Amino acid sequence: MKKFEGMTDEALAMLYVKGNNSAFDELLDRTQAKLFTYIMFVVHDHDIADDIFQETFVKVITRLQSGQYTDSGKFIFWLTRIAHNCIMDWYRQQEGRHIVEPNANNDLQNLSMASVMDTFRESELVNEQVLRDVRRIMDALPAPQREVVYMRFYQQLSFKEISDITGVSINTSLGRMRYALINMRRMAKQHNIELALQD
């Protein structure tokens, strides 16, 4: 809405706390696509993602109305943290689901990512295929590993921010990333997929 143009998410949240329902509508418009994409990326099922998304916003509304939000300058992190907790609650409810967690002693090895160059169309096509392959491989990772990869490379969050949102230590976040990279390399090798981008 035009009247909220230029206002931060944090300011909108505080306006809603004071009784302005239109401010919440604007907040929802601004954040729903990003939040749903994050949830969908972790759970891989549209119906489940939709349920978790709705549950997340019910909790957001409840917490805002009960004064559990203070303007910390990071509304989207607060929102993502609630979504993360809803996702973890959903996984806990699943029977027979066992996800192996990495050891706390693992740390992240050096990681470098080549940038996609658009100089030649052939390179673009190769790079597009590589990115599709990477996405397919990421989809096969266990949820905690997929989540940390998504937050790090798609949302560009630091490991400190990932740790804060997911409620695990930085070492655990680093360990999950390390396991994700090992698993992605292993799957790429098994399927003869070349993950190097061309420049």
Side-chain angles (χ1 to χ4, degrees):
M1 292 182 193
K2 284 251 185 213
K3 67 178 178 177
F4 297 123
E5 210 171 289
M7 288 188 75
T8 65
D9 293 348
E10 294 73 31
L12 287 170
M14 298 314 286
L15 257 183
Y16 173 68
V17 168
K18 292 174 184 168
N20 187 327
N21 289 332
S22 298
F24 185 80
D25 294 341
E26 175 69 13
L27 255 183
L28 183 60
D29 283 346
R30 287 185 188 183
T31 57
Q32 64 184 349
K34 185 183 280 191
L35 190 69
F36 186 82
T37 300
Y38 160 67
I39 296 168
M40 183 67 185
F41 191 83
V42 178
V43 300
H44 277 187
D45 182 290
H46 195 279
D47 291 337
I48 293 166
D50 197 42
D51 288 346
I52 292 171
F53 176 83
Q54 290 178 43
E55 183 185 345
T56 298
F57 267 96
V58 166
K59 288 187 175 179
V60 166
I61 290 168
T62 303
R63 290 179 188 180
L64 284 171
Q65 289 178 344
S66 64
Q68 294 180 39
Y69 174 76
T70 55
D71 183 356
S72 63
K74 295 189 176 183
F75 180 80
I76 192 66
F77 292 162
W78 183 73
L79 192 64
T80 306
R81 170 81 185 191
I82 294 171
H84 166 79
N85 290 339
C86 290
I87 291 167
M88 293 303 107
D89 288 345
W90 180 83
Y91 274 117
R92 283 186 205 102
Q93 292 167 6
Q94 304 311 300
E95 292 180 0
R97 178 122 187 145
H98 179 69
I99 297 171
V100 176
E101 292 290 340
N103 296 328
N105 297 332
N106 289 311
D107 61 348
L108 182 65
Q109 295 175 339
N110 291 334
L111 171 70
S112 63
M113 293 197 53
S115 60
V116 178
M117 303 294 286
D118 60 356
T119 312
F120 304 103
R121 183 64 186 143
E122 183 179 341
S123 290
E124 286 180 2
L125 292 172
V126 170
N127 289 336
E128 286 169 12
Q129 182 60 50
V130 167
L131 293 174
R132 276 195 298 274
D133 290 340
V134 167
R135 182 64 185 259
R136 239 182 22 250
I137 290 172
M138 284 174 63
D139 286 347
L141 292 172
Q145 294 173 23
R146 189 167 61 244
E147 181 181 40
V148 76
V149 170
Y150 182 82
M151 288 180 167
R152 183 75 183 104
F153 295 110
Y154 286 79
Q155 294 184 318
Q156 315 223 319
L157 300 180
S158 69
F159 283 103
K160 171 74 170 78
E161 291 167 332
I162 293 168
S163 169
D164 290 344
I165 289 170
T166 58
V168 299
S169 70
I170 291 177
N171 280 347
T172 299
S173 296
L174 290 167
R176 286 177 180 174
M177 176 63 82
R178 181 172 183 271
Y179 268 83
L181 295 174
I182 289 169
N183 287 333
M184 288 174 73
R185 287 186 191 116
R186 178 182 48 77
M187 286 186 275
K189 191 173 181 183
Q190 284 174 350
H191 298 287
N192 294 317
I193 296 171
E194 177 59 57
L195 295 181
L197 296 176
Q198 294 191 2
D199 54 9

